[in-house]
């Protein structure tokens, strides 16, 4: 008999997540999380505003973030992540850093945001030129372009959906179609914005088809948060998380969008 089992579950390391009130993809966040880590998710208060720059400003106010982080303090997460792209880029790079500082003060732990994690991921992948996909309106999309430009990264193409609500209902097919429209010029990577836009399963397929790293809002958020814990996110065949996926091309004759299993890449001598 395994006596250790009788003592209950093993210790869990905690990641606190502050999400906007309309966030609907809790399950997707968990897919990047290893077994020894738990997510503790809280939400900002509801405000009757559609997705817009105004909403981004409202849900990223320091008082709002601080109160959300304080609701997590009793369970002692080791890091806190603000899982919202527009809310964390609306104030530019300076604003994003100030948000992290406000959350750190409220929780006395390291804090990250989705947009800060995006810039961290671009550095990790040595990206100088990026294509963007967003579900946003034109004004919110332009604000993201400006944020990326502040970091010295050139936007080579962009596609947006113009949505102001129900973003989590966009099907994978819609995400893939927009990605193909966005990658028009020579891009080093593609970023799919918005933590309410589902992306987990399309990342490997798009990387195989487009032959560049594909990163998404939820992916970079979890990757950066778990990095603070000294552990790795779970994302097979995702270039940001799985270094072996950064150079693996398609099999000869493979259909666009097909995922190349690692063992097949090895057999062909590509890894």
């Amino acid at each position: 008999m395994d006596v250790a089992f009788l003592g209950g579950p093993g210790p869990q390391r905690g990641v606190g997540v502050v999400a906007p009130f309309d966030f609907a993809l809790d399950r997707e966040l968990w897919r990047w999380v290893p077994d020894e880590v738990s997510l503790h998710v809280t939400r900002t208060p509801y405000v009757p505003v559609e997705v817009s720059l105004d909403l981004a400003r409202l849900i990223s106010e320091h008082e709002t973030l601080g109160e959300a982080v304080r609701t997590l303090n009793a369970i002692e997460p080791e890091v806190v992540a603000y899982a919202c792209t527009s809310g964390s880029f609306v104030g530019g790079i300076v604003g994003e850093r100030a948000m992290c500082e406000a959350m750190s003060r409220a929780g006395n732990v390291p804090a990250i945001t989705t947009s800060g994690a995006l810039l961290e991921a671009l550095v990790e992948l040595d990206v100088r030129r990026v294509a963007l996909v967003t579900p946003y309106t034109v004004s919110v999309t332009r604000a993201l372009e400006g944020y990326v430009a502040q970091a010295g990264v050139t936007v080579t193409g962009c596609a947006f959906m113009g949505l102001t609500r129900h973003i989590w209902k966009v099907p994978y097919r819609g995400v893939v179609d927009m990605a193909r429209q966005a990658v028009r010029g020579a891009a080093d990577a593609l970023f799919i914005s918005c933590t309410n836009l589902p992306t987990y399963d399309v990342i490997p397929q798009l990387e195989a088809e487009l032959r560049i790293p594909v990163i998404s809002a939820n992916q970079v958020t979890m990757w950066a948060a778990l990095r603070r814990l000294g552990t790795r996110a779970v994302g097979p065949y995702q270039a940001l998380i799985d270094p072996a996926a950064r150079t693996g091309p398609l099999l000869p004759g493979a259909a666009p969008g097909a995922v190349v299993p690692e063992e097949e890449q090895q057999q062909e001598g590509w890894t």
Side-chain angles (χ1 to χ4, degrees):
M1 178 182 292
D2 185 356
V3 178
F5 174 78
L6 299 178
Q12 292 278 298
R13 308 184 70 185
V15 173
V17 178
V18 177
F21 64 88
D22 63 346
F23 180 71
L25 298 182
D26 304 57
R27 183 176 178 84
E28 174 162 288
L29 288 184
W30 275 95
R31 297 182 71 182
W32 276 287
V33 179
D35 291 342
E36 70 274 13
V37 176
S38 283
L39 296 183
H40 309 298
V41 184
T42 190
R43 282 166 170 76
T44 61
Y46 170 78
V47 290
V49 179
E50 294 183 329
V51 176
S52 61
L53 288 175
D54 287 340
L55 178 62
R57 295 184 184 100
L58 285 171
I59 60 177
S60 61
E61 292 176 345
H62 291 187
E63 183 177 350
T64 297
L65 294 177
E67 185 58 34
V69 170
R70 282 188 284 274
T71 68
L72 299 168
N73 285 347
I75 49 180
E76 300 179 343
E78 296 180 50
V79 62
V80 174
Y82 180 44
C84 180
T85 323
S86 61
S88 53
F89 68 61
V90 68
I93 291 177
V94 172
E96 189 277 332
R97 290 172 180 165
M99 291 170 64
C100 289
E101 292 171 1
M103 290 190 295
S104 290
R105 286 195 301 271
N108 198 31
V109 292
I112 67 158
T113 73
T114 298
S115 294
L118 163 61
L119 299 189
E120 192 175 327
L122 294 178
V123 171
E124 172 73 12
L125 295 170
D126 194 25
V127 173
R128 311 294 175 84
R129 302 166 299 178
V130 68
L132 302 175
V133 166
T134 91
Y136 312 132
T137 60
V138 62
S139 61
V140 182
T141 300
R142 294 294 176 258
L144 173 59
E145 292 178 336
Y147 176 79
V148 171
Q150 284 183 32
V153 178
T154 301
V155 176
T156 60
C158 184
F160 61 94
M161 303 177 189
L163 301 179
T164 59
R165 61 175 63 190
H166 296 161
I167 290 172
W168 70 89
K169 295 182 180 181
V170 174
Y172 278 155
R173 183 185 301 275
V175 177
V176 170
D177 288 346
M178 296 299 285
R180 290 168 177 160
Q181 292 179 41
V183 182
R184 295 188 294 266
D188 300 320
L190 169 71
F191 174 60
I192 305 173
S193 190
C194 190
T195 55
N196 230 3
L197 189 65
T199 57
Y200 189 95
D201 293 305
V202 302
I203 291 173
Q205 284 78 8
L206 281 173
E207 289 185 330
E209 177 181 338
L210 302 174
R211 305 192 185 194
I212 56 175
V214 174
I215 55 179
S216 75
N218 282 330
Q219 180 206 45
V220 298
T221 304
M222 289 296 95
W223 168 78
L226 293 166
R227 206 181 196 196
R228 300 305 190 276
L229 301 187
T231 190
R232 292 180 60 181
V234 179
Y237 305 111
Q238 297 180 18
L240 177 64
I241 295 165
D242 181 1
R246 296 183 187 180
T247 56
L250 289 172
L251 285 170
V259 176
V260 184
E262 184 177 357
E263 59 271 18
E264 293 184 38
Q265 294 183 25
Q266 292 172 344
Q267 290 172 6
E268 296 294 329
W270 287 327
T271 61

